[in-house]
Amino acid sequence: MNAPVVYLNGDYVPEHAACVSIQDRGFIFGDGVYEVIPAYGGRLFRLEQHLRRLDDSLAGIRLTNPLPHARWRALLEELIHRNGGGDLSIYLQVTRGCAPRNHAFPAGAAPTVLATCSALTGNAPAVLAAGVAAITAEDIRWKHCHIKAITLLPNVLLRQQAMDAGAVEAILIRDGQVTEGAASNVFTVVDGAITTPPKGPYLLPGITRDLIIELAREAGLSCREAPVAEATLSGADELWLSSSTREVLPVTRLNGEPVGTGRPGPVWRRVHDLYQRYKDGLRSGRLS
């Protein structure tokens, strides 16, 4: 895109002209939440589900949603239009706003509302053909990971730990159980059955995760939400990551060892195809 346009506190402005105060609590404390929403062919992906998760995140930090859902839809659709449409990743962020630095909530501060767009290119064919590498790591994050908070330093450190090991993601372990990736949800396949850890405070309730479950079940595949022990990972036939930007991505090496055959598996291929069909339906307007 040329000259990206962003939305900031009621105005659409060129990205280079968007400014936020150094007193903003998002900058000072990481006091805010965010969402990442894909758009395919200019059409927002599961917007209502994303906005409900935004509501939950805001409630989790005791901040009222500054906009009704209808207004969110209108401003995001306008943002997509001003950035030329197509396949985009929309980032939106709400912070508690600007106030003199004090840990306690400020009285009367207006939330800062930001939304931006970037091109969404998807996974390269070579990546899908070969899969990616991941490592396991101790889950060092806080106890409210279901809140999509902008305070992501632990996730940054865990992702960098994976990158330093030649991998693309860290699969997190807490008390011997898989929670999620540093920036993804996790699925295993054992004897054809798909399992993903259940929702709870230690993992983000992924919108893409939920769609994968729906698509798999509609196709007659065995798919359940249940605890996944760390030991299950080494014996899994397939291992996947999911997120709004990664969609559903096969992991073929874990901690330097092959997962299953060391190639993307047949259950992943089936679910990946179902996901691509869903995206095609969204682009064509057959789905909303």
Side-chain angles (χ1 to χ4, degrees):
M1 297 182 298
N2 294 323
V5 173
V6 307
Y7 174 93
L8 180 61
N9 294 335
D11 296 318
Y12 297 92
V13 298
E15 184 178 72
H16 64 82
C19 296
V20 177
S21 169
I22 61 170
Q23 294 280 26
D24 192 275
R25 288 176 63 92
F27 177 70
I28 297 296
F29 292 118
D31 185 0
V33 301
Y34 74 104
E35 279 291 326
V36 179
I37 308 172
Y40 298 105
R43 299 178 186 274
L44 289 157
F45 172 88
R46 298 208 143 192
L47 177 62
E48 199 57 35
Q49 289 91 330
H50 279 281
L51 292 179
R52 286 200 297 268
R53 188 171 66 180
L54 177 66
D55 290 337
D56 291 341
S57 293
L58 288 165
I61 66 167
R62 297 168 59 184
L63 183 59
T64 301
N65 195 329
L67 300 171
H69 286 196
R71 177 64 183 131
W72 275 116
R73 177 179 289 277
L75 80 83
L76 294 177
E77 289 178 345
E78 178 64 19
L79 185 66
I80 288 170
H81 172 71
R82 290 179 183 235
N83 284 281
D87 289 1
L88 299 169
S89 177
I90 293 91
Y91 177 87
L92 64 90
Q93 177 173 298
V94 181
T95 77
R96 208 175 300 275
C98 299
R101 190 180 188 280
N102 187 311
H103 284 71
F105 294 169
T112 299
V113 180
L114 170 71
T116 69
C117 282
S118 59
L120 184 61
T121 57
N123 297 306
V127 171
L128 296 177
V132 299
I135 63 169
T136 54
E138 179 186 359
D139 192 343
I140 60 173
R141 304 168 304 160
W142 69 330
K143 294 182 178 180
H144 300 284
C145 299
H146 60 294
I147 298 173
K148 201 167 176 67
I150 62 174
T151 42
L152 290 173
L153 183 56
N155 305 67
V156 168
L157 295 172
L158 289 160
R159 172 62 69 78
Q160 190 59 47
Q161 182 179 338
M163 297 296 289
D164 292 344
V168 304
E169 183 63 300
I171 294 175
L172 308 183
I173 310 298
R174 190 186 293 256
D175 299 327
Q177 300 292 315
V178 177
T179 53
E180 59 183 343
S184 59
N185 291 115
V186 176
F187 290 80
T188 64
V189 179
V190 177
D191 295 330
I194 307 165
T195 305
T196 191
K199 293 179 182 178
Y202 293 133
L203 63 87
L204 185 73
I207 308 303
T208 299
R209 168 195 180 276
D210 289 351
L211 177 57
I212 289 169
I213 293 170
E214 290 177 26
L215 294 175
R217 289 174 175 171
E218 288 171 1
L221 299 172
S222 172
C223 186
R224 64 181 186 139
E225 299 174 78
V228 176
E230 179 181 9
T232 301
L233 298 176
S234 60
D237 301 314
E238 301 182 29
L239 183 58
W240 316 336
L241 306 171
S242 72
S243 72
S244 292
T245 53
R246 289 177 167 177
E247 301 177 359
V248 52
L249 186 62
V251 174
T252 51
R253 294 191 69 80
L254 182 66
N255 296 326
E257 299 295 328
V259 175
T261 64
R263 304 292 296 177
V267 183
W268 171 79
R269 284 193 290 271
R270 179 82 185 280
V271 171
H272 177 262
D273 288 347
L274 293 169
Y275 197 94
Q276 300 313 305
R277 289 179 203 167
Y278 183 92
K279 287 167 50 184
D280 290 342
L282 185 60
R283 285 192 185 99
S284 69
R286 290 185 288 106
L287 298 172
S288 60

